[in-house]
Amino acid sequence: METVQSVQTTATPASIGAAATGMSVAEAACLISRSREYLYSGLRKGQFPGTQFGRGWTMPREFVESFVRDVLQRGLSISFENYAADWRARNDAEASA
């Protein structure tokens, strides 16, 4: 009979939650058909919503999925930059209400 070895992890509940609500830049780039460099540039400039963890970035999963749903699948005519600005404005308004 085999025994199961325990696995040590440095993940904290906060980092686990971040993984569930965020996605990597590489994953986001693939979903929205943009380059990683384009997304990194926008994240560094503050144009796109995202969080930096050390040297890496994550983007809100809700934001990327809503862009895919609203723009790519429904065919809305709006740039990624404008969509990001509108999304951030809506979220800021909801947070302050």
Side-chain angles (χ1 to χ4, degrees):
M1 179 182 279
E2 292 183 29
T3 61
V4 177
Q5 294 179 337
S6 68
V7 176
Q8 298 295 325
T9 181
T10 59
T12 63
S15 66
I16 293 169
T21 61
M23 70 172 49
S24 71
V25 172
E27 186 180 6
C30 182
L31 287 174
I32 64 172
S33 301
R34 302 291 194 280
S35 71
R36 291 180 305 183
E37 293 78 16
Y38 168 78
L39 294 179
Y40 281 124
S41 176
L43 287 164
R44 284 190 297 271
K45 293 176 186 175
Q47 290 178 308
F48 308 143
T51 304
Q52 187 172 15
F53 293 103
R55 292 181 59 181
W57 287 87
T58 61
M59 297 184 78
R61 183 172 300 280
E62 177 185 343
F63 165 68
V64 176
E65 289 176 350
S66 68
F67 178 79
V68 169
R69 180 183 60 248
D70 295 343
V71 176
L72 301 181
Q73 291 178 350
R74 292 185 185 154
L76 292 179
S77 179
I78 186 171
S79 71
F80 188 71
E81 294 87 355
N82 290 340
Y83 189 86
D86 290 348
W87 189 86
R88 290 180 103 172
R90 283 193 309 269
N91 281 348
D92 290 347
E94 290 174 7
S96 65

